[in-house]
Amino acid sequence: MEVIIRDDAEAGCLLAAKIIAKLVRDKPHAVLGLATGRTPLRLYQELIRLHRAEGLDFSRVTTFNLDEYVGLPSEHEQSYRYFMRENFFRHINIDQVRTHVPNGTAADLHAECRAYEERIVAAGGIDLQLLGLGRNGHIGFNEPTGSLRSRTWIKILSEQTLQDNSDVFGSLESMPHHAITMGIGTILDAKRCLLIAFGPSKTRAVERMVEGPLSSMCPASALQLHPRATVVLDEGAAAGLE
Ligand code: F6R
């Protein structure tokens, strides 16, 4: 695992954006795995800037998002499809048909999960998977104790994740308790993984991911098995590392 520490989240996001931009320039038909959440917002802003200022071309890029809440339609403001459209896709020249987010309102959710895996394979696999990190060590919505070989499936959100993400829903009750997420096995199949984590709330999870034993209690520790995993941190998130 390659660990890169920058002074702050701003510098970390700029570096991560640079890595993604280089891939898109080198391989215009790249397949990107994307994440939502607070952490990558600045990174998406920088990619939008590069598109506008330097003509970074997304017209042939394909994307697959990690996860989506079960039961939220794409027009719901808290759905991840909505997040991606508002914070990234509508500001760049990507072909919407090439953007994939699991459908949390599919009539047959299990069939949707299997189809999502098939779509990734049909696209040639993911060249680079962007990841954030949950305070409990989750990646995607793969919560502690889940299988480290899991594939895209429906997962129950942990108490900690519900607490961490419920503010935007107004209350715990109005928040979905299930999500479709790529599995750890799906994530490890990506040719490269790029995880970004910033701030002291992530220090403990970073320590367990990088230095802790490989354990389903910290799903992100599975990245220790990946031949090409890059972790970009700020000083705060890296504070617990030896
Ligand atoms: C989001 C995702 C989650 C987040 C994680 C961190 O698509 O898969 O694993 O990356 O919960 O969220 P933030 O960035 O909001 O701290």
Side-chain angles (χ1 to χ4, degrees):
M1 195 185 286
E2 177 192 25
V3 179
I4 302 173
I5 303 169
R6 287 287 177 266
D7 287 347
D8 52 27
E10 168 73 9
C13 280
L14 295 186
L15 174 66
K18 206 169 169 181
I19 292 171
I20 293 174
K22 180 172 186 330
L23 171 64
V24 171
R25 284 196 189 98
D26 291 350
K27 187 175 179 184
H29 57 285
V31 179
L32 301 179
L34 298 178
T36 61
R38 289 155 283 242
T39 315
L41 278 170
R42 180 69 187 94
L43 182 160
Y44 291 138
Q45 283 168 10
E46 175 61 7
L47 289 177
I48 293 165
R49 192 193 68 76
L50 290 172
H51 166 66
R52 288 180 179 151
E54 297 178 16
L56 184 63
D57 180 14
F58 291 91
S59 62
R60 289 164 66 196
V61 166
T62 298
T63 65
F64 287 92
N65 263 79
L66 281 166
D67 40 21
E68 178 61 285
Y69 289 115
V70 167
L72 294 196
S74 61
E75 60 277 11
H76 191 290
E77 287 187 16
Q78 301 310 330
S79 77
Y80 285 168
R81 167 57 84 177
Y82 186 95
F83 175 104
M84 290 309 299
R85 189 169 56 233
E86 289 305 306
N87 292 300
F88 192 33
F89 297 151
R90 77 182 180 87
H91 306 285
I92 57 172
N93 66 333
I94 197 160
D95 181 350
Q96 299 298 321
V97 175
R98 292 181 192 265
T99 67
H100 304 271
V101 181
N103 178 4
T105 59
D108 184 340
L109 290 170
H110 290 154
E112 168 65 11
C113 293
R114 283 188 287 268
Y116 204 68
E117 289 273 331
E118 284 164 14
R119 287 200 286 270
I120 293 173
V121 172
I126 291 172
D127 291 303
L128 182 146
Q129 177 65 56
L130 176 66
L131 298 160
L133 178 65
R135 286 200 297 148
N136 63 0
H138 74 217
I139 47 176
F141 272 134
N142 295 283
E143 302 284 26
T145 74
S147 160
L148 296 183
R149 297 186 65 167
S150 59
R151 312 301 309 186
T152 301
W153 209 240
I154 300 144
K155 302 283 167 71
I156 301 172
L157 304 182
S158 70
E159 279 302 319
Q160 168 113 64
T161 300
L162 290 170
Q163 299 282 352
D164 286 351
N165 291 5
S166 62
D167 49 340
V168 290
F169 285 91
S171 71
L172 261 187
E173 293 68 43
S174 48
M175 179 179 175
H177 287 212
H178 293 82
I180 296 181
T181 180
M182 281 187 202
I184 298 285
T186 322
I187 292 168
L188 292 181
D189 280 350
K191 296 177 189 86
R192 182 173 185 186
C193 288
L194 174 62
L195 183 142
I196 55 176
F198 308 119
S201 69
K202 304 290 170 76
T203 311
R204 179 73 185 122
V206 165
E207 200 182 333
R208 294 169 72 208
M209 166 179 70
V210 177
E211 293 174 353
L214 178 66
S215 162
S216 65
M217 291 309 292
C218 178
S221 67
L223 293 175
Q224 293 172 17
L225 295 172
H226 197 283
R228 211 165 165 224
T230 302
V231 173
V232 178
L233 308 170
D234 67 352
E235 295 283 356
L241 297 179
E242 285 294 318

